[in-house]
Amino acid sequence: TDPSLTKQVDKTTAKVGERITYTMTASNAYTASTAITKPVITDTLPQGLEFVYGSVQVNNMSVSASYNEATRVLNIPLNDLSAGSSVKATFVAEVTNAAYGKVIKNVAILTGENSSEVKAEAPGVNVGDGKAKPYIEKTSNKRTATEGDQIEYTMKVGNGETATVAVADPVVTDVIPAGLDFIDGSVYVDGRGYSNVNYDSNTRLLTIRLDNIDPDSYKTVKFSARVNADAYGTTIENLGTLTSSN
């Protein structure tokens, strides 16, 4: 016998929750003098991958295979491999939280009743660090104002392009300074009036709760305030703060 094995994966970068497909090709060289009898492909799934039951196929046909959850070993039995023949086996695994920030490496082994063991390693699959990259930028539509003027503040609330997870449960808070009066009903998110807002007139704290923000995306948050007499002779400074559950 003259066995060989190759292994490929359908993607080299993945996110948690995505599924990846491994393809293994087991062969017996045409120069082999005998068939490989009772060949089996064995694959121990690393932490960070979860085997998808029912996903094993051999030559594009679904087949029965055994998977031991305790040892994480997948066994795929094959028909005998005559000289010059090959067979393709595939299975699917799902990326789990344990893979954050890692390169998943996976090795398959081909054995036979009458052949030596051969191994094949698939290209590594890079999984992001599982971190959000939140940011907030704030501008106003006026540099100078007098009593009675209305100032509109615009905040760009986002998640950076290198983030691998959404900003979860984002909350924008803003303490309105004494020289401004918050205008009820003036909060807009992405151009639409927004109601998930609370303003405490005693603490002057404006709280705006937003939906999750996906990687490489942002929301535009606007609100307005009116200049009052306390602002005379002062420079009004106003700070927006972004917090999240992750």
Side-chain angles (χ1 to χ4, degrees):
T1 64
D2 189 2
S4 64
L5 182 67
T6 63
K7 185 171 187 181
Q8 298 296 322
V9 64
D10 67 337
K11 58 186 70 176
T12 55
T13 60
K15 299 177 182 179
V16 170
E18 288 186 340
R19 292 185 172 187
I20 56 179
T21 300
Y22 286 102
T23 300
M24 297 152 290
T25 302
S27 304
N28 190 14
Y30 74 92
T31 55
S33 57
T34 58
I36 300 172
T37 58
K38 297 184 179 179
V40 177
I41 293 176
T42 302
D43 196 308
T44 302
L45 271 65
Q47 294 294 329
L49 290 181
E50 194 66 45
F51 174 65
V52 176
Y53 284 93
S55 66
V56 177
Q57 292 190 340
V58 174
N59 287 342
N60 299 316
M61 299 290 291
S62 295
V63 298
S64 295
S66 64
Y67 179 67
N68 187 312
E69 292 188 355
T71 62
R72 305 181 63 80
V73 174
L74 172 65
N75 287 306
I76 306 173
L78 307 173
N79 293 328
D80 291 356
L81 287 170
S82 59
S85 68
S86 64
V87 64
K88 181 178 71 175
T90 62
F91 72 89
V92 178
E94 185 170 304
V95 182
T96 70
N97 290 344
Y100 275 135
K102 297 180 180 178
V103 177
I104 300 173
K105 296 185 177 181
N106 188 218
V107 176
I109 300 172
L110 172 65
T111 57
E113 189 177 54
N114 61 338
S115 66
S116 57
E117 174 183 288
V118 292
K119 298 181 180 180
E121 182 175 357
V125 178
N126 291 274
V127 182
D129 60 9
K131 294 181 180 179
K133 310 292 183 182
Y135 65 87
I136 183 170
E137 301 169 359
K138 186 173 184 181
T139 59
S140 69
N141 67 339
K142 293 181 183 293
R143 298 296 300 272
T144 61
T146 59
E147 183 181 357
D149 283 354
Q150 184 171 308
I151 300 175
E152 182 181 72
Y153 288 99
T154 299
M155 292 174 285
K156 183 178 180 180
V157 184
N159 193 7
E161 64 181 0
T162 61
T164 55
V165 296
V167 176
D169 307 312
V171 177
V172 174
T173 54
D174 195 308
V175 177
I176 308 299
L180 294 177
D181 293 325
F182 172 68
I183 298 175
D184 288 334
S186 68
V187 177
Y188 282 74
V189 175
D190 293 334
R192 295 184 177 184
Y194 199 70
S195 61
N196 197 355
V197 175
N198 181 70
Y199 179 65
D200 187 322
S201 58
N202 293 318
T203 61
R204 307 183 64 81
L205 179 65
L206 173 64
T207 302
I208 305 169
R209 301 184 185 278
L210 302 172
D211 294 332
N212 293 353
I213 305 172
D214 291 330
D216 195 22
S217 66
Y218 65 90
K219 298 180 185 298
T220 301
V221 179
K222 295 185 177 185
F223 73 89
S224 296
R226 184 168 284 108
V227 180
N228 62 41
D230 291 338
Y232 276 121
T234 67
T235 298
I236 298 174
E237 296 183 350
N238 187 217
L239 179 67
T241 302
L242 170 64
T243 58
S244 69
S245 62
N246 64 338

